[in-house]
């Protein structure tokens, strides 16, 4: 599938990639409002792109990397970009941030394994275990004086060798990526060069995802243990915040049977924004048109004093004009109100709590 068939999707991805690079290079504090707005913009664009890629059926479970068009390879990055930006969010609970990012990173690596871009084994998913909840964290007694067993020493040595190997590969991939960037600056580059560049970029993010998953697992364990200690009164309990509803990751669908489901059993993502939904309801006559009416208290409150005064004067003029023209509808309404007041004395209906 070529870029010409879905130019808007390709441009959305390029914009999201640029936002991701800007966020990664930013020197602003993570909690700054400006950076958080940029992160939110990037996440919204990536979610929209993910939904469009799913609808277009860019990926299939029965195709290989050789069958995947060069222009489609970059779309493999959607979940890892979402995971990377989600990790920097400060507007939701940190444990929820880790859970959300974990889903995205794992989905990215699983898809890359399907296309034989990597053969790495994913670490155990801590979010699948009930024992990792705050209520079920078990504290094992520390044994600082105990010597590690031969098996533990061997496992530690293998882990160290794996980290060294991964570090060397990551460095080599980064160098190759910089070389390919220079070649792509030449307008006469070949499709093979572009394809290698896209594949190399995906491999770079695979290594970064594995590092992030390891760091997130340690952070999640620490946060759960701290929560358990707070419940036991061992550490001060911060002001309790209202627990927000868990966010739903938006993932790329894998086949036609999952067109209405965007990953991990979550329901489909809305296809229109809240603003578009409201505009549609206005057109259908369900909601009032805000451009034609400013009679509600909320609209009045949004006006400045001068605008509010003009709105009141405009209402009075309309009433006077209707009276002068003997508007039948207004006359009938006034007569009905006068008749009702003749038969209902003031205060008759207010009998609540009277002895």
């Amino acid at each position: 599938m070529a870029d010409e068939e879905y130019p808007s999707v390709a441009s959305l991805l390029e914009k999201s990639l640029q936002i991701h690079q800007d966020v990664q290079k930013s020197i602003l504090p993570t909690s700054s409002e400006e950076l958080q707005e940029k992160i939110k913009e990037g996440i919204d664009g990536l979610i929209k792109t993910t939904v469009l890629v799913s609808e277009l059926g860019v990926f299939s479970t029965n195709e290989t990397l050789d069958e995947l068009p060069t222009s489609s390879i970059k779309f493999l990055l959607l979940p890892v970009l979402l995971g990377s930006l989600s990790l920097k969010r400060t507007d939701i609970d940190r444990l929820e941030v880790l859970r959300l990012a974990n889903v995205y990173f794992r989905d990215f690596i699983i898809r890359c394994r399907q296309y034989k871009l990597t053969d790495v084994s994913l670490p155990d998913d801590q979010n699948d275990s009930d024992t990792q909840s705050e209520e079920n964290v078990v504290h094992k007694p520390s044994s600082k004086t105990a010597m590690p067993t031969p098996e533990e020493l061997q496992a530690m040595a293998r882990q160290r060798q794996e980290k060294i190997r991964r570090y060397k590969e990551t460095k080599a991939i980064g160098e190759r990526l910089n070389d390919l960037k220079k070649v792509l600056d030449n307008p006469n580059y070949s499709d093979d060069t572009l394809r290698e560049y896209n594949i190399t970029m995906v491999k770079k993010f695979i290594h970064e995802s594995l590092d992030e998953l390891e760091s997130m697992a340690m952070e999640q364990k620490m946060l759960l243990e701290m929560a358990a200690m707070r419940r036991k009164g061992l550490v001060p309990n911060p002001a309790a915040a209202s627990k927000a509803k868990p966010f739903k990751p938006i993932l790329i669908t894998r086949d036609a049977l999952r067109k209405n489901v965007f990953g991990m059993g979550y329901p489909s993502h809305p296809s229109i924004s809240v603003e578009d939904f409201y505009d549609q309801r206005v057109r259908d006559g369900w909601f009032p048109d805000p451009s034609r009416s400013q009679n509600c208290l909320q609209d009045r409150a949004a006006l400045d004093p001068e605008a509010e005064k003009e709105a009141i004067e405009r209402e009075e003029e309309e009433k006077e004009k209707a009276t002068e023209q003997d508007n039948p509808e207004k006359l009938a309404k006034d007569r009905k109100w006068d008749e009702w007041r003749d038969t209902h004395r003031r205060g008759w209906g207010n009998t609540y709590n009277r002895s």
Side-chain angles (χ1 to χ4, degrees):
M1 188 175 294
D3 281 347
E4 290 77 8
E5 297 183 32
Y6 47 94
S8 60
V9 184
S11 60
L12 275 173
L13 178 61
E14 290 299 327
K15 182 180 178 181
S16 299
L17 271 170
Q18 186 59 52
I19 291 176
H20 178 267
Q21 292 176 8
D22 294 342
V23 170
Q24 293 297 104
K25 296 177 181 178
S26 176
I27 59 174
L28 294 172
T30 306
S31 58
S32 68
E33 185 176 348
E34 180 182 348
L35 189 62
Q36 286 297 311
E37 284 296 324
K38 200 169 192 67
I39 291 171
K40 183 178 181 299
E41 179 187 357
I43 290 175
D44 290 343
L46 288 167
I47 287 176
K48 183 177 180 181
T49 309
T50 301
V51 174
L52 291 173
V53 168
S54 299
E55 292 176 352
L56 289 169
V58 175
F59 299 112
S60 175
T61 54
N62 59 358
E63 68 181 352
T64 63
L65 181 62
D66 293 336
E67 297 171 330
L68 191 64
T70 299
S71 57
S72 298
I73 295 175
K74 270 191 176 182
F75 293 114
L76 289 168
L77 299 174
L78 285 170
V80 71
L81 295 175
L82 275 166
S84 180
L85 289 180
S86 297
L87 269 181
K88 295 184 178 296
R89 294 183 62 172
T90 59
D91 59 329
I92 57 177
D93 181 71
R94 185 59 185 175
L95 276 172
E96 177 63 15
V97 167
L98 296 177
R99 184 195 67 82
L100 199 64
N102 180 74
V103 173
Y104 286 131
F105 285 128
R106 286 180 174 275
D107 180 76
F108 168 67
I109 293 178
I110 289 172
R111 189 176 297 277
C112 289
R113 289 181 61 178
Q114 291 174 346
Y115 282 101
K116 310 299 182 185
L117 283 164
T118 182
D119 58 354
V120 298
S121 298
L122 279 169
D124 295 335
D125 189 359
Q126 304 296 335
N127 291 314
D128 286 344
S129 175
D130 293 336
T131 60
Q132 292 299 317
S133 64
E134 291 183 11
E135 293 76 11
N136 299 320
V137 173
V138 177
H139 297 277
K140 296 182 180 179
S142 60
S143 56
K144 295 182 180 179
T145 58
M147 294 293 293
T149 63
E151 292 77 11
E152 290 175 337
L153 288 173
Q154 291 177 4
M156 292 167 62
R158 286 195 299 268
Q159 186 178 21
R160 181 174 180 276
Q161 290 299 323
E162 175 62 22
K163 286 189 175 181
I164 293 174
R165 182 189 65 81
R166 195 189 304 168
Y167 171 77
K168 291 180 178 179
E169 286 186 4
T170 304
K171 185 177 180 181
I173 288 173
E175 293 173 353
R176 181 56 182 162
L177 204 59
N178 290 331
D179 294 339
L180 291 170
K181 280 182 182 178
K182 295 176 182 177
V183 177
L184 291 177
D185 289 338
N186 186 344
N188 298 322
Y189 64 83
S190 65
D191 183 72
D192 291 340
T193 303
L194 178 61
R195 187 177 186 85
E196 184 183 357
Y197 175 80
N198 290 344
I199 292 175
T200 305
M201 186 172 4
V202 172
K203 290 182 177 179
K204 170 179 171 289
F205 276 102
I206 290 174
H207 286 270
E208 292 182 1
S209 299
L210 292 171
D211 291 337
E212 291 290 4
L213 285 171
E214 289 181 1
S215 300
M216 288 161 50
M218 290 188 289
E219 183 181 356
Q220 184 187 45
K221 182 180 179 182
M222 180 189 68
L223 291 174
L224 290 173
E225 289 180 352
M226 289 294 294
M229 292 172 67
R230 280 196 295 268
R231 287 197 307 275
K232 294 178 180 179
L234 300 177
V235 294
N237 192 11
S242 58
K243 205 165 188 178
K245 185 178 179 182
F247 284 74
K248 299 178 180 180
I250 308 301
L251 306 177
I252 304 171
T253 53
R254 290 182 170 82
D255 49 52
L257 295 178
R258 296 179 62 191
K259 279 294 178 183
N260 296 323
V261 180
F262 297 103
M264 308 303 289
Y266 294 103
S268 57
H269 185 69
S271 58
I272 60 176
S273 65
V274 175
E275 291 78 7
D276 293 338
F277 174 79
Y278 186 88
D279 293 341
Q280 181 177 330
R281 283 293 189 245
V282 169
R283 289 193 296 271
D284 295 341
W286 286 51
F287 298 158
D289 189 344
S291 64
R292 297 183 180 180
S293 175
Q294 292 181 336
N295 294 327
C296 69
L297 294 176
Q298 185 176 1
D299 292 336
R300 291 276 181 84
L303 296 175
D304 55 55
E306 291 296 330
E308 183 178 3
K309 184 178 179 181
E310 292 178 3
I312 295 174
E313 292 176 354
R314 189 161 51 251
E315 283 184 16
E316 294 296 333
E317 290 176 1
E318 291 176 356
K319 289 181 182 178
E320 292 178 3
K321 187 176 181 181
T323 303
E324 292 173 358
Q325 295 179 353
D326 294 333
N327 189 316
E329 183 178 344
K330 186 175 186 308
L331 290 174
K333 184 178 179 180
D334 291 343
R335 289 195 188 101
K336 189 175 181 180
W337 173 242
D338 291 337
E339 293 172 0
W340 188 89
R341 287 196 301 176
D342 290 340
T343 56
H344 293 74
R345 290 176 56 187
R346 184 173 183 178
W348 275 14
N350 186 17
T351 59
Y352 178 71
N353 204 24
R354 287 190 178 182
S355 58

